[in-house]
Amino acid sequence: MSFPEERLRRMRRTPALRSLVQETRLHPANFVYPLFVSALVKDREPIVSMPGIFNLSPKEAAAEAKKAYELGVQAVLLFGTPAKKDAVGSASFREDGIVQRGIKEIKAACPEIVVVTDVCLCEYTDHGHCGVIKGDDVDNDATLDILVRQALTHAEAGADIVAPSDMMDGRVDVIREALDENGLEQTAIMAYAAKYCSAFYGPFREAVDSAPQFGDRKTYQMDPPNAREAMREIELDIDEAADIVMVKPALAYLDIISRARDRYDVPLAAYNVSGEYAMVKHAAASGMADEQRLVMEVLTSIKRAGAGIIITYHALDAARWLRG
Ligand code: PBG
């Protein structure tokens, strides 16, 4: 069959017809909303590099989580800025650390919401790297011990999911083992499995003041040209019992999301990162394009590529727009 019998415009004629054949549908339940909990702010302070996003006190983070939940966004991802940073990120595994306090406040205000926590050292080290330094590089195995302590304190504080973003080898395995040994076998792991060394993290690093003070993250984060290696990273994390695997960033890596979706039958997340967010916000603010349409197109592309879970700073706006 071909033209003139076949006419693809027939099913595009009205909104109801288009809706009937719509292949990809966003839902607020797809979104995870990142929250920045900071020991340095009293209530909330705008993050200049990310318009519309704030550094929050634990109390304000709880209010924000509640707002998200009321809009149908059922998960938040916590990042922390401690009062003091040091060489090994020891503020990251304190029982009364900033993220640990944030978890408790959020769970008290909104017990149903899924609390995910970023597990990494870069927000807590004075040198800004994602692990402890030996010589002039990050030491993999020494970093694992700290990641484990951090993940345990998050889980003990009530996190539902811990999400290691450090890109050390073997971390999912040791975190799973430690959680299980401590009676925390119900705490899930979302692995930042294929995390690329990306310029799109720029605004985030300004938000939590985590830009590396020397060198870069190339010895641990993935090299952008590599796709097959991403499949190996994901496969290893699945073997180490990750419950959810993630591709990050999202937009420049839609092919990686798509390949992972075809290949692995595990829940797949993608992180629509700070630089992707800031680009859209600046384009919209300059009047170059309509913000709502940009955001919905971006988020739809990520879901269409295969990510069922989308971590995005646009979560609350998108949830509002989906409600109409
Ligand atoms: C920590 C971490 C980063 C992001 C999430 N977890 C920064 C980095 O690796 O430099 C980036 C998030 C974003 O850009 O929105 N390792």
Side-chain angles (χ1 to χ4, degrees), residues 50 79 118 120 122-123 130 165-166 192 195 200-202 204-205 210 217 221 248 271-275 313:
M50 300 170 70
F79 294 96
D118 189 84
C120 192
C122 66
E123 298 124 73
C130 301
S165 71
D166 50 281
Y192 285 71
K195 177 175 178 179
F200 286 97
Y201 307 147
F204 172 95
R205 291 184 188 168
S210 71
R217 303 209 203 290
Q221 297 183 346
K248 178 189 174 186
Y271 200 138
N272 177 215
V273 300
S274 58
Y313 304 99

Side-chain angles (χ1 to χ4, degrees), residues 270-287:
Y271 200 138
N272 177 215
V273 300
S274 58
E276 299 171 1
Y277 173 82
M279 283 198 308
V280 165
K281 294 300 269 193
H282 286 118
S286 75

Side-chain angles (χ1 to χ4, degrees), residues 47-161:
I47 295 169
V48 176
S49 56
M50 300 170 70
I53 305 295
F54 296 82
N55 265 311
L56 305 163
S57 68
K59 265 224 142 45
E60 284 294 305
E64 198 69 13
K66 206 159 176 189
K67 188 156 86 187
Y69 194 74
E70 280 160 7
L71 286 166
V73 176
Q74 301 180 39
V76 289
L77 169 61
L78 304 192
F79 294 96
T81 303
K84 246 182 92 195
K85 306 190 184 213
D86 63 21
V88 298
S90 51
S92 70
F93 51 82
R94 292 167 59 108
E95 226 175 273
D96 63 348
I98 187 64
V99 163
Q100 292 81 353
R101 283 165 48 208
I103 298 165
K104 288 182 193 149
E105 290 279 354
I106 290 169
K107 281 290 181 183
C110 189
E112 305 85 4
I113 204 163
V114 174
V115 174
V116 191
T117 58
D118 189 84
V119 172
C120 192
L121 268 61
C122 66
E123 298 124 73
Y124 305 92
T125 50
D126 49 17
H127 46 72
H129 276 288
C130 301
V132 296
I133 305 292
K134 204 188 243 167
D136 55 5
D137 198 10
V138 170
D139 186 74
N140 194 89
D141 299 10
T143 301
L144 294 182
D145 294 336
I146 298 176
L147 294 169
V148 161
R149 293 176 72 176
Q150 194 182 134
L152 280 177
T153 56
H154 290 178
E156 275 155 8
D160 300 284
I161 304 178

Side-chain angles (χ1 to χ4, degrees), residues 244-260:
I244 301 171
V245 293
M246 191 205 298
V247 173
K248 178 189 174 186
L251 286 185
Y253 301 89
L254 292 175
D255 60 321
I256 308 299
I257 297 172
S258 170
R259 277 204 210 191

